C-alpha cells in the first residue's frame, strides 16, 4: 500500500529548489548542475522506492525524513567529489554507493525504532566510510595516485560548513567582548522592554537563553546557511529560534554578559577537531584489537584488502603502515564497531 500523504516527486523538487541556493558560488555552471541533478535524482529514486515499499510500513514523516537525509548527503558528497578533483567519470558510481548505503541503513534503523540522533550518527559514519573506501579502491586499481587519493579523502563539505558556523560564532563573540570592554550599551526606545525585564531575559531557562543567543548569531549569517543548520535542529527548538530571529530588537533584549556566557557554553560543547597522528591511530588499533587472538583477528579481516590487513597487523607491532590518516582512522573505527 502506498504511503498516504507522501508526494515524493513534489518533495524531491522542493528539496532540490532549496539546495540550488546553497551550491558553492565558485562552481562552474556544469558543476552546479551536477550537484542539483544528483540531489534530485537520488531523492526522487529514494522517495519512489519508499512510496512503493509494502513491507516496511513507514509513515509519511519517516519517508520524508529518509528522503531528506539522502538529499542532504547527496548535496554534501557531490560537492566533495567536485572539490576532490577526481575524474568525473567516477563521480556517479561513488554517489550510487553512498546513496545505496544511506537508504539501506536508514530503512533498517527506522524499522528498529532507534533514536534520531543515533540514526544520523550511524548514517554519517557509514557515508564517510563508503566515500573513503571508494576512493581507496580507485587508488588500489591504479585509476588515481596517492596524492589525489589523499586530497579527495580530506574533502568534507559538511565539516567545512560547521567550521564556518563556529568561526562566525567566534567572530560574534569577539564583537560582543569588544562592546563589553567599551561599555557599549543600547538604551531601549520608548515602549520597548529592557533587557532586565524582557521575556527573553527575565526568568528564562538556560535553554531558552541559548536559543535566543543562537538566533542572535543567525541574524548575522546568510539565511540559506541558517536554514541548512536549522534543518538539523529539533523542530520545536528550530521554531523558537525562528521566532527570536524575527525580533528586530533582539540584541537589546539579551545582555552582553548573557550572550558571552551562552556563546562560551555553546563553543565548549562543539566537537573538537580530531588529531589523526599515526601514533594515535596505532594506539587506537592496539586498543580495539586488545584481547583478540591473532587467528580470530585474521578471520575477521579475511575479506579485507591487503592494505587494511597490513595496517592492523603493523599496528600490533607498534608500527604504522603508510595509509592516509583519515582512511586509517575510518578503518580503525570500522574494526571497533565490528568487535
Amino acid at each position: 500500500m502506498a504511503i498516504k500523504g507522501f508526494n515524493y516527486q513534489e518533495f524531491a523538487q522542493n528539496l532540490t529548489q532549496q539546495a540550488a541556493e546553497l551550491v558553492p558560488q565558485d562552481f562552474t555552471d556544469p558543476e552546479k548542475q551536477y550537484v542539483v541533478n544528483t540531489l534530485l535524482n537520488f531523492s526522487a529514486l529514494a522517495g519512489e522506492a519508499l512510496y512503493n515499499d509494502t513491507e516496511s510500513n513507514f509513515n509519511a514523516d519517516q519517508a520524508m525524513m529518509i528522503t531528506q537525509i539522502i538529499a542532504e548527503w547527496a548535496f554534501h558528497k557531490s560537492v566533495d567529489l567536485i572539490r576532490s578533483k577526481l575524474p568525473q567519470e567516477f563521480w556517479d558510481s561513488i554517489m550510487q554507493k553512498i546513496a545505496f548505503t544511506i537508504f539501506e541503513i536508514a530503512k533498517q534503523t527506522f524499522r528498529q525504532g532507534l533514536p534520531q540522533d543515533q540514526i544520523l550518527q550511524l548514517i554519517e559514519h557509514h557515508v564517510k566510510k563508503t566515500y573513503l573506501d571508494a576512493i581507496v579502491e580507485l587508488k588500489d586499481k591504479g585509476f588515481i595516485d596517492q596524492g589525489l587519493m589523499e586530497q579527495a579523502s580530506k574533502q568534507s563539505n559538511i565539516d567545512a560548513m560547521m567550521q564556518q558556523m563556529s568561526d562566525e560564532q567566534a567572530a560574534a563573540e569577539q564583537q560582543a567582548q569588544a562592546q563589553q570592554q567599551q561599555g557599549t550599551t543600547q538604551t531601549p526606545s520608548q515602549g520597548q522592554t529592557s533587557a532586565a525585564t524582557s521575556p527573553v531575559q527575565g526568568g528564562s531557562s538556560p535553554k531558552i537563553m541559548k536559543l535566543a543567543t543562537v538566533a542572535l548569531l543567525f541574524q548575522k549569517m546568510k539565511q540559506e546557511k541558517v536554514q541548512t543548520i536549522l534543518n538539523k535542529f529539533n523542530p520545536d527548538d528550530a521554531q523558537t529560534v525562528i521566532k527570536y530571529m524575527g525580533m528586530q530588537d533582539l540584541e537589546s533584549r539579551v545582555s552582553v554578559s548573557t550572550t558571552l556566557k551562552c556563546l562560551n557554553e555553546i563553543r565548549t560543547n562543539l566537537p573538537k577537531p580530531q588529531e589523526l597522528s599515526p601514533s594515535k591511530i596505532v594506539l587506537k588499533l592496539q586498543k580495539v584489537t586488545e584481547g583478540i587472538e591473532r587467528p580470530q583477528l585474521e578471520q575477521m579481516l579475511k575479506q579485507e584488502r591487503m592494505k587494511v590487513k597490513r595496517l592492523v597487523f603493523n599496528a600490533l607491532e607498534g608500527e604504522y603502515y603508510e595509509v592516509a590518516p583519515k582512511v586509517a582512522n575510518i578503518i580503525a573505527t570500522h574494526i571497533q564497531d565490528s568487535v
Side-chain angles (χ1 to χ4, degrees):
M1 181 178 176
I3 301 175
K4 185 178 180 180
F6 179 46
N7 186 333
Y8 65 87
Q9 292 175 326
E10 181 179 329
F11 187 59
Q13 288 287 350
N14 288 340
L15 291 172
T16 304
Q17 289 171 5
Q18 294 175 34
E21 300 176 0
L22 303 176
V23 180
Q25 294 302 306
D26 60 312
F27 280 11
T28 64
D29 288 341
E31 289 171 341
K32 291 177 181 178
Q33 200 60 47
Y34 179 81
V35 175
V36 171
N37 288 343
T38 300
L39 186 151
L40 176 60
N41 291 339
F42 285 126
S43 57
L45 285 171
E48 182 178 11
L50 291 167
Y51 185 79
N52 294 319
D53 188 339
T54 59
E55 298 179 358
S56 299
N57 294 320
F58 292 134
N59 58 36
D61 288 340
Q62 292 171 321
M64 285 191 286
M65 182 66 176
I66 294 173
T67 304
Q68 183 169 340
I69 291 171
I70 289 177
E72 289 183 358
W73 278 111
F75 176 86
H76 290 303
K77 299 318 290 182
S78 58
V79 169
D80 289 344
L81 284 171
I82 292 171
R83 293 204 186 283
S84 73
K85 303 305 179 184
L86 289 171
Q88 187 169 352
E89 62 190 280
F90 302 121
W91 293 357
D92 285 348
S93 63
I94 293 175
M95 289 305 308
Q96 288 166 6
K97 292 176 182 178
I98 290 172
F100 177 78
T101 297
I102 298 171
F103 189 70
E104 290 303 311
I105 293 175
K107 285 178 62 177
Q108 292 174 23
T109 52
F110 271 88
R111 280 199 295 255
Q112 293 168 8
L114 296 183
Q116 182 173 313
D117 287 350
Q118 189 174 348
I119 291 174
L120 295 177
Q121 289 172 6
L122 282 169
I123 289 174
E124 180 174 4
H125 164 72
H126 284 283
V127 166
K128 291 182 176 180
K129 179 181 183 301
T130 301
Y131 175 74
L132 290 174
D133 283 351
I135 295 170
V136 172
E137 184 179 0
L138 291 177
K139 167 63 171 57
D140 289 345
K141 291 182 176 179
F143 293 125
I144 61 174
D145 59 22
Q146 179 75 21
L148 188 53
M149 183 191 76
E150 291 183 1
Q151 176 177 313
S153 70
K154 294 176 184 176
Q155 302 303 318
S156 180
N157 187 62
I158 191 169
D159 290 341
M161 182 187 73
M162 296 309 295
Q163 182 60 51
Q164 184 174 9
M165 178 184 174
S166 178
D167 292 344
E168 290 175 345
Q169 175 185 310
E173 182 179 344
Q174 291 175 354
Q175 182 180 9
Q177 286 176 333
Q179 290 178 348
Q180 186 180 41
Q181 291 171 357
Q182 294 170 7
T184 303
T185 58
Q186 184 171 350
T187 304
S189 60
Q190 187 174 6
Q192 179 181 342
T193 309
S194 70
T197 60
S198 165
V200 177
Q201 182 90 352
S204 295
S205 68
K207 180 178 179 179
I208 288 295
M209 290 310 306
K210 287 181 182 178
L211 293 176
T213 302
V214 169
L216 191 62
L217 174 64
F218 282 179
Q219 285 182 340
K220 304 177 185 296
M221 293 172 59
K222 293 182 178 179
Q223 293 308 300
E224 60 268 19
K225 294 179 181 177
V226 170
Q227 186 59 53
T228 300
I229 298 169
L230 280 177
N231 287 340
K232 302 182 182 299
F233 276 48
N234 172 287
D236 291 338
D237 291 345
Q239 286 300 317
T240 301
V241 172
I242 292 170
K243 180 182 72 174
Y244 287 140
M245 286 177 65
M247 292 183 179
Q248 298 300 319
D249 58 346
L250 178 62
E251 189 168 351
S252 68
R253 290 171 176 258
V254 184
S255 69
V256 172
S257 60
T258 300
T259 301
L260 288 173
K261 180 181 178 181
C262 291
L263 285 172
N264 281 327
E265 290 179 4
I266 293 170
R267 170 177 262 185
T268 299
N269 292 323
L270 284 173
K272 301 293 189 297
Q274 189 176 17
E275 295 181 14
L276 299 177
S277 66
S279 60
K280 287 189 176 182
I281 293 174
V282 167
L283 289 173
K284 181 176 181 178
L285 283 166
Q286 290 177 341
K287 185 175 181 180
V288 301
T289 57
E290 188 177 3
I292 302 176
E293 299 294 334
R294 188 179 181 95
Q296 182 184 355
L297 190 57
E298 289 176 347
Q299 184 63 31
M300 286 175 54
L301 301 175
K302 185 177 180 181
Q303 302 300 323
E304 298 290 346
R305 294 182 297 276
M306 182 57 66
K307 287 188 176 182
V308 173
K309 297 176 182 178
R310 288 179 180 174
L311 175 70
V312 175
F313 290 117
N314 278 22
L316 295 181
E317 303 297 328
E319 299 178 357
Y320 183 71
Y321 183 69
E322 291 302 321
V323 174
K326 277 196 173 185
V327 176
N329 189 56
I330 288 292
I331 294 170
T333 302
H334 171 62
I335 295 173
Q336 185 178 33
D337 293 341
S338 303
V339 174

